């Protein structure tokens, strides 16, 4: 309820609002939420929390879509998403290879696969706003 008020008043999407809230509550802000104090190896905790958040977000995006959306828009989605993802992947890999020449190009491709902006949750947050065209 508060997030809706802030979003509509300041025209901020969920991603920026959530990041700011996390920084505020985190160990570098108010120190209310410090995952590093939970265990010595935080990799496992980070991975599991990320899985839960991603699964919940993807489920929410899927529930918001109309029932026949994929059937009606499958061709346009394939034409726009697949080439855009592939081109973005290669461009980001090239930029990484230019910035970090000691890395092999295969390593840059692997890192670029993680960095290429294909996140459906962020896209849904941007497109689903009341100000979206």
């Amino acid at each position: 309820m508060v997030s809706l008020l802030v979003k509509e008043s300041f025209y901020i999407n969920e991603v920026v609002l959530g990041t700011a809230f996390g920084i505020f509550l985190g160990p570098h802000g108010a120190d209310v939420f410090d995952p590093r104090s939970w265990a010595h190896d935080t990799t496992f905790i980070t991975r599991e929390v990320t899985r839960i958040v991603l699964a919940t977000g993807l489920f929410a995006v899927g529930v918001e879509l109309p029932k026949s959306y994929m059937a009606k828009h499958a061709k346009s989605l394939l034409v726009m998403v697949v080439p855009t993802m592939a081109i973005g992947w290669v461009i980001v890999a090239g930029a990484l290879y230019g910035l970090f020449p000691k890395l092999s190009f295969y390593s840059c491709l692997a890192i670029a696969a993680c960095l290429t902006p294909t996140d459906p949750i962020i896209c849904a947050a941007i497109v689903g706003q009341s100000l979206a065209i």
Side-chain angles (χ1 to χ4, degrees):
M1 192 151 102
V2 174
S3 67
L4 181 63
L5 177 67
V6 172
K7 278 177 24 183
E8 296 296 325
S9 299
F10 297 109
Y11 306 111
I12 299 174
N13 67 12
E14 292 96 347
V15 177
V16 175
L17 186 61
T19 302
F21 188 70
I23 291 170
F24 175 73
L25 288 181
H28 299 291
D31 200 20
V32 173
F33 187 76
D34 186 12
R36 290 185 211 132
S37 66
W38 298 347
H40 179 66
D41 181 25
T42 58
T43 305
F44 176 76
I45 295 171
T46 303
R47 184 176 50 240
E48 294 305 316
V49 169
T50 303
R51 285 180 182 172
I52 292 168
V53 169
L54 186 62
T56 306
L58 289 173
F59 182 75
V61 169
V63 169
E64 289 177 4
L65 287 176
K67 190 175 186 178
S68 62
Y69 182 84
M70 291 301 290
K72 289 181 181 178
H73 299 285
K75 185 178 177 183
S76 63
L77 284 172
L78 284 174
V79 168
M80 290 302 295
V81 172
V82 174
T84 303
M85 285 174 32
I87 292 168
W89 177 48
V90 173
I91 289 172
V92 171
L96 286 170
Y97 191 67
L99 289 171
F100 306 104
K102 290 185 179 181
L103 287 175
S104 70
F105 190 68
Y106 293 119
S107 298
C108 291
L109 285 172
I111 296 169
C114 300
L115 297 178
T116 304
T118 60
D119 189 0
I121 298 171
I122 293 175
C123 294
I126 293 169
V127 173
Q129 286 185 341
S130 61
L131 300 173
I133 296 174

